[in-house]
Amino acid sequence: MTAKEQQIEAAVAAGEIPGLILLATDTADKFHYERTIGSASLKPGAERPLTLDTTLTIASCTKIITTVAVLQCVERGQFGLDDDVSTVLDELQDLKILKGFEEGTENPILVPAKNKITLRHLLTHSSGIAYDFLDPNIIRWRMSTGRTPDIGESTPLLQRTNLPLLFEPGEGFVYGYSLDWAGILVARLNNISLEDYIQKNICEPLAITDLTFHLEKNDEVRSKLADFNFRSGGITQFGTPADPNGSISWTPGRVWPDPVVEEYGGWGVFTSGPSFLKVLASILRNDEKILRPDTVDEMFKDQLSAASKEMLNATLSIPEINNFLGGTPLGLQKTWGLGGLLVLEDHTTGQKAGSLRWAGLPNLFWWIDRKVGLCGFYASQLVPTGDPKSVEWSTVFIQDMYERVEGFGAQV
């Protein structure tokens, strides 16, 4: 056991962070790290240990799976990255941009969008479509139109996302429902549910048997579901913990309803850590099981316009928002690839420029580094998201994996 692994284990034992599933592997399929620490539930009288087959709510880690599904459609010639998505998603025609509110009133100023939303815009969060519950202007717009700000996932997606844009498509960056729309695009192009599409085209090639949007259809996956934990001390205006040292305890309920109304391509998957790692490893190894090599190469290219990249980096310069949106190292230049954030500079953890990475709401973090040949997954089930302690300890884990793989390579 390395010193860093001992430190992580001690942090879990002390209640500083909840139970963890820690996974990593390399390009050559020779280095493998699998570790579970702590409990799948802190519910008094119902404590149970985490195991590798524990079911996780992976939230926005779903986005890279949906991205793979969409890119498969591009490979088949069903749709182009720069095609207008409103030709299939007719709900995204005739969009308006929210420019503010008339002075002294709650009357919104809405102007027609000049640009069309392309598939590339959806995959890079440069469409102008925000999460309504995260943006104060969209919340204000909802209130001004008599609509309650909607943070309940029981509402169908097509009702949730009937929202104005925040900027011209392709000219900004905002985290939002774009990948949910991309999931609907996959379903409509193939006349099949997103669940069935992913089962056939991603799960089967990778021998994944425990991934689903629908717990109500898979009792075995549901029976292994980890509970959520909550850090006490309140929440900041950005939705992150107000007290990073607050105590952690079991919290009832789930983030998503059960059963779900529909399949959210941006946040709806349940699966185990090793199964999710199979997706990352397939991309890292460019093994052609789910995507062609040229498509994988495209995932690791800068996809943003100068204006979108500027807005992304300005957004992530605020520590609380940076923690909320992926927990990437502060001060490094970043852009968006296809499927995740692309870090443009080397980091002290050992992670190299060109690494793709992202996160999930219950403080999950993944990365793929093709230069070093390493991918990994730090998985907890802790809310609120953007937990500073989780960002800190996930960084320790990442550094430990880079040190281990370097030592492993020297031994080999």
Side-chain angles (χ1 to χ4, degrees), residues 74-325:
V74 173
E75 288 183 344
R76 286 194 293 269
Q78 292 177 285
F79 211 81
L81 283 173
D82 295 309
D83 288 351
D84 173 8
V85 297
S86 70
T87 59
V88 176
L89 305 173
D90 54 1
E91 298 88 350
L92 298 182
Q93 295 178 0
D94 303 321
L95 294 169
K96 302 228 174 6
I97 301 171
L98 179 62
K99 291 291 188 178
F101 296 82
E102 295 177 4
E103 187 174 355
T105 75
E106 289 300 302
N107 297 326
I109 301 171
L110 297 166
V111 300
K114 299 175 183 177
N115 300 342
K116 297 293 187 180
I117 295 177
T118 68
L119 179 55
R120 195 184 307 271
H121 295 153
L122 289 183
L123 295 181
T124 58
H125 300 285
S126 58
S127 64
I129 300 171
Y131 280 137
D132 51 349
F133 52 87
L134 294 181
D135 188 87
N137 283 328
I138 295 294
I139 293 175
R140 185 178 174 186
W141 172 83
R142 276 195 177 278
M143 298 298 289
S144 73
T145 56
R147 308 183 193 190
T148 303
D150 184 8
I151 59 173
E153 285 73 29
S154 60
T155 305
L157 177 63
L158 295 182
Q159 293 180 29
R160 288 172 60 82
T161 57
N162 184 17
L163 307 168
L165 305 180
L166 293 182
F167 49 76
E168 283 285 353
E171 297 180 9
F173 176 91
V174 64
Y175 199 52
Y177 290 108
S178 289
L179 266 295
D180 299 291
W181 281 112
I184 293 174
L185 182 73
V186 171
R188 291 185 182 176
L189 287 174
N190 295 279
N191 195 30
I192 190 174
S193 70
L194 183 60
E195 166 94 8
D196 289 344
Y197 180 93
I198 288 174
Q199 292 296 336
K200 179 180 178 181
N201 295 282
I202 298 177
C203 293
E204 287 184 16
L206 297 179
I208 294 172
T209 59
D210 61 355
L211 184 151
T212 187
F213 289 91
H214 295 282
L215 292 177
E216 74 276 11
K217 296 180 181 179
N218 197 319
D219 289 339
E220 184 175 359
V221 173
R222 178 194 267 154
S223 70
K224 298 175 181 178
L225 184 65
D227 284 345
F228 268 69
N229 311 290
F230 180 79
R231 189 180 296 282
S232 65
I235 301 174
T236 71
Q237 62 175 315
F238 303 108
T240 55
D243 181 4
N245 297 308
S247 62
I248 294 172
S249 60
W250 170 78
T251 185
R254 302 189 179 116
V255 175
W256 321 145
D258 178 16
V260 291
V261 175
E262 58 188 314
E263 296 148 6
Y264 289 85
W267 55 359
V269 160
F270 301 89
T271 193
S272 65
S275 290
F276 181 70
L277 191 74
K278 286 182 178 181
V279 178
L280 305 182
S282 182
I283 295 168
L284 172 69
R285 294 169 186 155
N286 224 340
D287 59 15
E288 300 187 60
K289 291 182 179 179
I290 53 176
L291 289 172
R292 297 195 313 238
D294 59 318
T295 302
V296 173
D297 289 343
E298 188 68 25
M299 294 177 72
F300 289 80
K301 293 178 181 178
D302 182 355
Q303 302 290 332
L304 293 182
S305 68
S308 294
K309 193 186 306 181
E310 181 180 358
M311 189 170 178
L312 167 66
N313 282 281
T315 300
L316 297 183
S317 68
I318 302 169
E320 293 87 352
I321 297 181
N322 183 72
N323 284 349
F324 191 96
L325 295 178

Side-chain angles (χ1 to χ4, degrees), residues 38-50 223 225-227 229 250:
S39 299
S41 177
L42 296 178
K43 183 178 181 180
E47 294 86 351
R48 52 193 167 94
L50 276 170
S223 70
L225 184 65
D227 284 345
N229 311 290
W250 170 78

Side-chain angles (χ1 to χ4, degrees), residues 322-390:
N322 183 72
N323 284 349
F324 191 96
L325 295 178
T328 53
L330 287 168
L332 299 186
Q333 281 296 302
K334 302 148 191 172
T335 187
W336 205 269
L338 297 176
L341 192 78
L342 202 61
V343 181
L344 297 176
E345 300 175 72
D346 293 351
H347 184 246
T348 54
T349 57
Q351 198 164 85
K352 300 300 183 184
S355 296
L356 197 70
R357 56 183 289 167
W358 198 233
L361 183 147
N363 289 286
L364 308 107
F365 306 92
W366 64 260
W367 82 94
I368 305 172
D369 184 338
R370 297 206 298 173
K371 288 183 180 177
V372 171
L374 182 68
C375 66
F377 187 40
Y378 170 107
S380 72
Q381 299 284 267
L382 173 67
V383 290
T385 193
D387 178 57
K389 289 292 184 182
S390 296

